[in-house]
Amino acid sequence: MPFVLSIKDTYRQAVESATGGKNTVMYDDKGNPSIMVCIPKFNLSDVIAGAPNTPHPAFIVNGVVKSEIWISKYQNIVHDGRAYSLPFQDPTYVTYDQAKQYCAAKGPGWHLMTNAEWAAIALWCKKNGFMPRGNNNYGKDHSATHERGKVTYQSGGQDARVATGSGPASWAHNGMNDGIFDLNGNVWEWVDGLKLIDGKIYVHQDNNYNTPEGPRVVDQWVDTGVYFDNTTAGNANTTSSDIGGDPVLGAERTNPMYTGDASTDPYYGYSQTTFEALAAKSGFTVPDLLKYLAIAPIDANHGGDGIWVRNYGERVATRGGSWSNGSLAGVFALGLDDARSNSAHASGFRSAYIAP
């Protein structure tokens, strides 16, 4: 379906009427539309039992508590150097830095969706008892194979990407047509605010989406003091392969998954487990912040979603899984195995907006 501009008031009114005001149309500095979903502020205690009765970090920007955040309803496309959230489009695949650029170009308040924002939505889904399905099995959902989207791209002769929002309501975060679509599968989504440097975890302060960023830049980032290690030793093999064992959280990295020169962020050894099985080293207590940011599990039930890690070089985060990840795709799926320069057919993104 081609990119179509619409008359502002007519388009916005139609979207808001159809969703009871839960969705709206926002126009960027070029006057072009994106369909956005409002996520009203909630507290950590609303989504995690026993957590503080304070706002989730996604709703705090530069120390100011925000009443709401706006998330792209659809995985984004790129038009005229800017990101757009529109239905029935083939999502654009980009590098991490391109994704940030296309989002920021839309104007003040626009940014690449952050890990804090993704985590808030994932935790909301879990608390509310609905884990969205999606395109995680070559155009369909692995657990409900009758649920399909409109195929826009094939890989190796198999169905792969589907058009944004072309699946059923069960592919939305709340199980309704007014929700955020395709958080489970289709394409991995770059998120800002979470990176590894040689296995150490760095995050944004709260949801400060304008934190300075660049290759191995961590100025003004929060050093969590936590590393991804592995339960077995790595090796110097220069092929992409699972080295065995499981990623594990701790105060130091003793087992780099690749033992050669990692200065170019190579794609060699990695380790993988399910998100809910991610454990801490003996005697180490995982900081609550990692649970609030969906970097570590809050209990033993996260839908069987997967986590992939390379604990050498710089790795920036992707979330959600792709068309081929099956049961390992989902709102808690976390990729910490990609370099920022990666641009694959299974790598996408979505923009978000917070009023300055």
Side-chain angles (χ1 to χ4, degrees), residues 195-216:
K195 67 165 69 176
L196 303 184
I197 304 292
D198 293 330
K200 181 180 272 194
I201 303 170
Y202 293 87
V203 299
H204 283 173
Q205 179 71 44
D206 298 321
N207 196 19
N208 294 356
Y209 57 83
N210 281 325
T211 301
E213 169 64 315
R216 296 180 179 256

Side-chain angles (χ1 to χ4, degrees), residues 185-190 308 318-322 325 333-335 346-349:
N186 207 27
V187 293
W188 283 99
E189 297 187 33
W190 296 111
W308 293 257
T318 56
R319 306 240 42 163
S322 79
N325 289 125
L334 173 58
S347 297
F349 72 110

